[in-house]
Amino acid sequence: MLVQIGTLIAATSVVQLANGFFNTFLSLRLTTESFGPTLTGIVLSAYFIGFSAGAVGSGRIIQRIGHIRAYAAFAGMVVVGTAGMAIFVSPLGWILCRMAIGIGCVGLFITTESWLNAKAPPDQRGRIFSIYMVGTFLALAAGQLLIGSLPIASMTPFFIIIALFALALMMVSATRAEAPALPAEASLPYGELTRQAPVSVLGCVVSGIVTSAFYALVPAWMARNEIPQETIALFMLVAVLGGFAFQVPVGKVSDRGDRRVVLAGLAIGFSAAALLIQLVPPRLAFVLPVAALLGGFMSTLYPVSVAHALDRMPQDRVVAVSGRLILVSGIGSALGPILGAQVMGQLDINGLLYFMAAATVALAAVAGLRIRHRAPPEQMAERPFAIIDPLAAPISQEPEATDADGTPRPLPA
């Protein structure tokens, strides 16, 4: 099993190391360019536009050319896009390159996780995905540490990102493991998911908006206010680690009751933390704990929303539901930096925090209304909460294959 998936998990951790660094670095780098608030927001949103587009078509590419060649193609797209940003420093060039990077990144994540789903034995799948997500969060956190020691205005960060993605490509291309075949997926008509689980759909949109706005715009604001890079890196690191620390406790609570209640509580908690960070004294001893709360509440909105949707939908549509939620989350993520940049341009950082707080309060209100009008689904334990990084938006576990008589059939080896 280590031969089959160990290299894949290590390579994805390298990808997330590059991704965590890239997102914060670009936010800071844009403060040195004269693009203006609107173009800055579009550049930051372009990644999520590409991410959403790639979520729609990546599965077909993987099925047509296989996992290893698809991984190589997606990684190559990210490398080309990153190199293009270093060469063509212009709003249009960066928008196109960030879209290509978004398509490549979502392709890497879907390739990796469909591979893990197929290779992991059912009795080890939860443990393997826990290892995978631990590696993901630790790599995202380590990416923030790179920010404090690198010159943002130079080409060095681009070269580091290219090297990390190329290293991941080398690791997967050289693996001895045989890639699996993808099972067929059940279709999901548009509109059905919204009818069955509207709170989940709204939760994924709001999660995308606040997460992308936070990671894209908060570091930029801190840089414009001449806060040292080391402090920015520490703040973002604490936010990521706060998200990691919240996953298991929130997951346990979510699995024991109505997930909509948990989702409403997380939304209210995030809005309260967004308001609190404006009130505490501007010293690290006060700001960092609130940053951990912000990261914690923010990072658990998406997985709880996904788990609630899976409670409402048939087992044979698990993958289709996950893909659709990736798409709606990507739409929210694309809107977040654009709307947030406009608000912050008019009202500074307080306006951005009010904007994110208002979005989560609206989510809590909708969840409360649905709780009053519809009972929670039964047998939620069959679809447990899973640790999910909202910036990566991984796909969920694939349904178990069955023969015509309903007898379980082993996943492809």
Side-chain angles (χ1 to χ4, degrees):
M1 184 53 56
L2 287 176
V3 172
Q4 292 290 325
I5 66 170
T7 300
L8 192 60
I9 291 177
T12 306
S13 296
V14 172
V15 168
Q16 291 287 32
L17 172 63
N19 226 17
F21 170 61
F22 204 169
N23 290 327
T24 304
F25 154 68
L26 184 61
S27 177
L28 298 177
R29 176 62 185 266
L30 282 168
T31 63
T32 67
E33 307 295 340
S34 301
F35 291 177
T38 301
L39 285 175
T40 295
I42 294 174
V43 169
L44 293 169
S45 295
Y47 171 87
F48 300 103
I49 295 172
F51 198 98
S52 302
V56 176
S58 295
R60 289 191 293 271
I61 294 174
I62 297 167
Q63 288 177 324
R64 187 167 64 247
I65 67 176
H67 283 73
I68 293 179
R69 286 197 292 172
Y71 195 99
F74 291 131
M77 182 179 294
V78 175
V79 169
V80 170
T82 306
M85 291 186 68
I87 297 170
F88 305 107
V89 183
S90 69
L92 179 59
W94 279 20
I95 289 169
L96 295 176
C97 288
R98 284 296 284 172
M99 289 179 65
I101 292 168
I103 294 171
C105 282
V106 75
L108 289 174
F109 298 138
I110 292 177
T111 303
T112 298
E113 292 174 30
S114 62
W115 193 335
L116 288 178
N117 275 321
K119 287 294 183 181
D123 61 342
Q124 298 181 32
R125 194 169 294 158
R127 188 185 320 157
I128 287 169
F129 265 76
S130 295
I131 295 171
Y132 169 70
M133 292 313 303
V134 166
T136 292
F137 270 91
L138 292 180
L140 285 170
Q144 309 306 316
L145 295 176
L146 292 175
I147 294 295
S149 57
L150 291 175
I152 296 299
S154 72
M155 293 295 103
T156 302
F158 289 111
F159 298 150
I160 292 175
I161 294 163
I162 290 171
L164 289 172
F165 277 104
L167 175 60
L169 172 58
M170 291 169 56
M171 294 169 68
V172 173
S173 299
T175 182
R176 292 181 292 160
E178 181 182 354
L182 282 177
E185 299 178 6
S187 62
L188 179 65
Y190 281 94
E192 181 173 353
L193 182 58
T194 303
R195 288 191 296 272
Q196 295 296 328
V199 173
S200 292
V201 174
L202 180 61
C204 288
V205 172
V206 170
S207 172
I209 289 174
V210 299
T211 301
S212 62
F214 178 85
Y215 283 105
L217 299 175
V218 171
W221 176 84
M222 296 173 77
R224 283 200 297 271
N225 284 270
E226 299 182 350
I227 295 175
Q229 278 184 218
E230 295 81 2
T231 302
I232 298 173
L234 180 60
F235 180 89
M236 300 305 294
L237 170 64
V238 169
V240 172
L241 293 178
F244 180 53
F246 269 52
Q247 298 291 326
V248 172
V250 169
K252 290 182 178 179
V253 174
S254 171
D255 287 341
R256 293 174 181 171
D258 190 339
R259 299 193 205 276
R260 296 170 299 178
V261 175
V262 177
L263 190 61
L266 294 173
I268 294 297
F270 177 85
S271 62
L275 298 177
L276 179 61
I277 202 168
Q278 303 174 61
L279 302 176
V280 298
R283 294 196 294 272
L284 287 179
F286 297 97
V287 172
L288 293 182
V290 183
L293 292 176
L294 278 172
F297 290 122
M298 178 173 59
S299 70
T300 45
L301 290 172
Y302 182 81
V304 172
S305 297
V306 172
H308 175 63
L310 296 179
D311 292 338
R312 295 285 188 186
M313 302 300 293
Q315 177 71 21
D316 64 347
R317 292 182 177 177
V318 167
V319 177
V321 168
S322 299
R324 193 64 52 80
L325 292 178
I326 288 174
L327 178 60
V328 298
S329 176
I331 293 171
S333 297
L335 292 173
I338 296 176
L339 297 176
Q342 295 299 314
V343 172
M344 198 166 69
Q346 299 293 323
L347 302 173
D348 203 50
I349 189 64
N350 287 349
L352 176 64
L353 293 170
Y354 290 139
F355 166 70
M356 295 191 294
T360 51
V361 166
L363 171 60
V366 172
L369 290 175
R370 293 295 295 180
I371 291 169
R372 293 185 59 185
H373 291 94
R374 188 173 183 182
E378 298 179 357
Q379 297 177 328
M380 289 188 298
E382 295 181 1
R383 309 284 175 80
F385 170 96
I387 297 176
I388 298 177
D389 163 37
L391 289 182
I395 62 174
S396 200
Q397 293 185 9
E398 297 191 22
E400 184 179 47
T402 59
D403 293 322
D405 61 358
T407 304
R409 184 172 68 246
L411 289 166

